[in-house]
Each structure stands twice: as C-alpha cells, then as structure tokens.
Amino acid sequence: MTAAPAPGGHQGPLSAAERADYERLRRAAGMRHRRLRYAVTSVLLVLTFVLAPLGVVATWVDSQISDTGRYVQTVAPLAKDPAVQSAVTNRVTNKVVSYIDTAKLTAALERALRKTGAPPVVVDRSGLLAGALKSGATSAVRAVVNKVVTSDQFADVWNIANRRAHAAMVNVLTGKGGSAVEAKGNTISLDIGTVIKQVQTKLVDEGFKNADKIPDIDKTIVLVKTDKLNKAQNLMRLLNIVGVWLPVLVVVLAALAVWSGPSHRVAMMSAGGGVGVMMALFLVALAFARGKYLDSVGPKVQSPDAAAAVYDDLVRFLQQSTRTVLVIAVIVLVAGYLYGPGRGARRIRSVAVRGTDAAGRGLARAGLRTGGAGGWLHRHRGWTTGIVIGAGALALVLWNFPTPGAVALVLGIVVLVLVVLGILAAARSAPAPPGSAPRRTGHGG
C-alpha cells in the first residue's frame, strides 16, 4: 500500500536518501550564507579600521575651526612657552638691532675724539668699539623686548588677537591669507606687528629716542615650514568637508559589522581590537611625523625648541582624542572577552556574581530587603545591564571632547551601578537558614 499524495501534490515522508540530500543542500546553503556574512563583516571591519584615524583627524579639524573657544585654548599656551617667547624675542631683537647704524655711531665718536685733541692712537682705534657698541645695543634691546614678550600683557594681546582672528585656522588649512596666521607656499607665519609696536614704545620709554623712527620691518615669525604643507592643506580641506559625519560613519560601520557577523561577540572584539591597533599606529605616526618635522626645520627658519613647542601644542588635542578612542577600543575588547565562554571569563563572572549575591544576602539578613523591586531587577538583569551600559556610552557621546580620564570615570560609574543593582537584586528576600530543606508543595507520596 503506497502513501497517499499529500495535499498540493507533495509526497509523504522523505526517504533516507532524500533526507540525506536535503540535509546536504541545507548545509551547503547555510555554508554559503555564513561565508557571505563573513565577507560582508570583513569588508565593514576593514572600512572601519581604515577610516577610524581619519575620523579622529576630521573631528579635530572640525572642532578647531568651528569652536572659537577651543581654538584660543589651543594656541593660548604658546604665549607662555619659553621656547616660543625666546624665538619671538630673538626675531624682534635682531630686526630692531639691524636698523641701528653702529658704523655711523663710531664715526661720530671718532670725530668727537679728534675735536677734543685725543691722542692719535685713541682716535685710530675708536673703530674697534663698533662691535662693543653693537653688542651693548643688542643686550639693551633684548632686555626691553624680553620684558614685553614675557609680560602678562603679551599673553592678553596674544589671546585677544587669536580670538578676533578666528578665521586664522581656516586660512592655514585652505592656503588663504588675511589674518594673524597665514600660509604662503610651504610656510605658516604669525603676524607679530602688535608686539613690535609695543617694543618700539618701550624702547622710547627706556631712552632710545629714535626707536619710533625704525622703518616698517618684517612683522612675521615663522611657525611651521614644510614642503608637505600643500598636501596637508588638500587633506584638511577634504576632512573639513566631511566634518563630524566621518566619525559617525565609522561608528555606523562598526555597528553594522557587529550586527552582520555570525558571532556578534567575536565581531565586536575584532572591531575593538582593530580600532585599538589603528589608534596605536596613529600615535606612533604622529611621533614619527614630529621627528621628521623637527629634522626638516632649519635653525635659520625656527629654533628646534620653538618648533617642537608649536607642533606639540597644535596636535595635543589630536593626540588626546586618539588616546581616548584607544582606551574605548580596549574596553570594548575586554568587555567582549568577559562576555565570552572562556575559562578566565567564566571565573571572573562567577566571582562577581558570588560577591554581589553575598553582599545582597547580607543586606537581607540585616533586614534591608528589596522585595518586589529586587525581584524585578533579578528577572530583568539583562535589560538593566544593557540600559546602564548604553547610558554610559551616551554620556561619552554627549561629553565635550572626553579624555581618557573621562572614559575611566564613566567606566567606573557604570561598573559601580551594575554592582549596586546586582546587590539590590540579591537582597530581594531573606536567605534560607543554613541546613534547612526547601519547603515542599503538594501532597506527599
């Protein structure tokens, strides 16, 4: 007797051979689907890794350009930096002294000595005083200039000038001029005309009556000089266009990679580890670029100490942001490991649960029971954990330029809240007395 055809024309139960074919086809389809998910996840992760450093740079460029306070905060320390003060002092002193005609002074001295009847040997050797006169004038002018440059007024003028010239950083990145800081060719220069005016006034007050007659000298001091400036400007223009959207894109790509991965935990750990490696490499690249830049700046252009101070000041927020992302990536990697099935992870989770349970039972024995609220926390522990972690992530997103210290603070608060919630959940009822048998319900046999 044969099996009646099933409704719709399908046959009855599959034979052993048919079921084997079916299982083989299902495994093949599952394998293709799994390979496709691996391929998509790999592409998304690679894009995340490549764009992560550019996202940090884009955020740095956008913040320095659009936020006046942030820009002033960036350049303000340069006014107090000894190396920069020394460079400005040397620049202004050399320019002012170059317009002091020591030859004319020694000639006048020679004529005066001859009129007074000085011995010929004295008159003939009066020209040897030219060097001493120039050295003395240089020392006197340097002392006056140093007073101006190291004064609080100079720092105030520096900050006010940079605040008023907020478009300066835009000009540097786009190659335009017309502000206190401008880029021409391969050089970024700072206009110090206000400082020179103050020096001329101070020189007149100190007794140099002709200081105000000094011609209109070069009023710029070189901050940065590099043959890669044009390339850097082109890159910065591109980053300025993408602005804050590039970091958002990096986060979205990482989230999609975790979602599409066959194992969400492994994909999350891969994203954290890869981004962490890229941030570490980027910090190394910044250090390497610093060394290359200092090697390329000649002493005639800028003193090495001043060049180092300017470079370090301009990239300090970039380095800080990179370290912050590195710390977050490490936290994601460690969290993915602790969530996994590894022996070490299971042991850490077990110790944490035993600790919170013991603390909760202690509270319950002391009469501080949480009752229904504790029971709700116990039943919804997964949801509450996710909400607390999400709140911590949101706090970092809303934080204005978080530092590694801020990340550590938020992490500490998140862990503390999770521990407290675990203790409250464990304190929902009084623990059973030691050795007591659990109450049995129903009729005994």
Side-chain angles (χ1 to χ4, degrees):
M1 181 175 178
T2 60
H10 296 291
Q11 297 296 327
L14 297 177
S15 65
E18 290 173 336
R19 180 167 294 279
D21 289 339
Y22 170 75
E23 292 294 337
R24 179 178 56 81
L25 292 175
R26 191 176 67 170
R27 285 195 300 270
M31 182 64 68
R32 287 195 297 269
H33 179 67
R34 193 175 184 86
R35 287 177 179 175
L36 178 61
R37 293 183 65 182
Y38 271 123
V40 172
T41 302
S42 300
V43 171
L44 291 173
L45 286 176
V46 169
L47 290 175
T48 300
F49 301 156
V50 172
L51 295 178
L54 294 179
V56 175
V57 176
T59 302
W60 171 70
V61 171
D62 181 76
S63 64
Q64 299 303 316
I65 293 174
S66 61
D67 191 334
T68 301
R70 188 75 169 182
Y71 170 74
V72 173
Q73 184 182 2
T74 300
V75 299
L78 290 175
K80 294 290 187 180
D81 189 276
V84 175
Q85 290 178 341
S86 176
V88 174
T89 299
N90 292 337
R91 174 73 171 177
V92 176
T93 299
N94 294 336
K95 282 296 181 180
V96 171
V97 172
S98 66
Y99 286 94
I100 298 178
D101 194 345
T102 54
K104 185 176 180 180
L105 291 177
T106 54
L109 177 61
E110 183 179 350
R111 290 193 300 270
L113 290 174
R114 187 174 286 110
K115 289 180 180 179
T116 58
V121 64
V122 175
V123 175
D124 293 339
R125 292 175 178 257
S126 61
L128 299 177
L129 296 175
L133 288 173
K134 187 167 186 178
S135 177
T138 301
S139 299
V141 172
R142 186 183 302 278
V144 173
V145 174
N146 187 65
K147 287 182 181 179
V148 174
V149 173
T150 58
S151 65
D152 293 336
Q153 290 77 12
F154 173 68
D156 294 338
V157 169
W158 179 280
N159 290 339
I160 292 173
N162 280 284
R163 185 173 293 277
R164 290 177 178 175
H166 179 227
M169 187 59 71
V170 178
N171 293 338
V172 171
L173 297 179
T174 59
K176 300 177 182 178
S179 66
V181 181
E182 61 179 2
K184 294 181 178 179
N186 61 350
T187 302
I188 300 176
S189 302
L190 173 67
D191 188 346
I192 56 173
T194 305
V195 179
I196 292 177
K197 289 290 186 183
Q198 289 185 349
V199 169
Q200 288 179 316
T201 302
K202 194 70 175 177
L203 287 173
V204 173
D205 295 340
E206 295 287 337
F208 293 84
K209 300 301 182 183
N210 294 324
D212 58 346
K213 299 179 181 179
I214 295 176
D216 189 16
I217 61 178
D218 183 10
K219 297 179 180 179
T220 61
I221 177 174
V222 174
L223 291 180
V224 179
K225 184 174 184 179
T226 173
D227 56 357
K228 301 295 189 298
L229 179 58
N230 291 332
K231 295 181 180 179
Q233 288 173 336
N234 293 333
L235 176 60
M236 292 304 179
R237 290 190 191 101
L238 175 62
L239 294 175
N240 189 33
I241 293 173
V242 297
V244 296
W245 294 110
L246 185 56
V248 173
L249 176 61
V250 172
V251 174
V252 171
L253 289 173
L256 290 176
V258 174
W259 175 76
S260 65
S263 172
H264 300 323
R265 185 184 64 85
V266 173
M268 183 180 71
M269 293 179 63
S270 300
V275 171
V277 170
M278 293 302 294
M279 293 300 103
L281 292 176
F282 188 53
L283 287 174
V284 173
L286 287 176
F288 178 77
R290 182 183 188 273
K292 292 289 291 182
Y293 169 69
L294 295 181
D295 291 340
S296 66
V297 177
K300 293 182 179 180
V301 176
Q302 184 61 280
S303 68
D305 292 338
V310 171
Y311 181 90
D312 293 339
D313 191 75
L314 290 177
V315 302
R316 61 194 171 102
F317 288 114
L318 178 59
Q319 292 173 325
Q320 175 181 292
S321 299
T322 305
R323 295 190 188 100
T324 300
V325 177
L326 174 59
V327 171
I328 294 175
V330 172
I331 292 174
V332 170
L333 179 62
V334 173
Y337 169 76
L338 294 178
Y339 186 72
R343 179 180 300 177
R346 293 199 308 270
R347 183 175 302 172
I348 292 174
R349 293 199 302 269
S350 176
V351 170
V353 170
R354 287 200 302 268
T356 55
D357 286 349
R361 289 193 298 269
L363 288 178
R365 280 193 295 268
L368 301 176
R369 302 184 186 92
T370 55
W376 186 91
L377 289 174
H378 178 72
R379 291 190 302 271
H380 300 86
R381 178 170 294 183
W383 280 100
T384 55
T385 299
I387 291 173
V388 172
I389 294 176
L394 180 62
L396 289 178
V397 171
L398 298 178
W399 198 300
N400 188 22
F401 301 104
T403 62
V407 175
L409 175 63
V410 172
L411 176 63
I413 294 175
V414 168
V415 172
L416 178 61
V417 172
L418 291 177
V419 170
V420 170
L421 292 180
I423 294 174
L424 294 177
R428 59 191 179 276
S429 60
S436 62
R439 173 180 288 183
R440 299 179 62 182
T441 60
H443 300 285

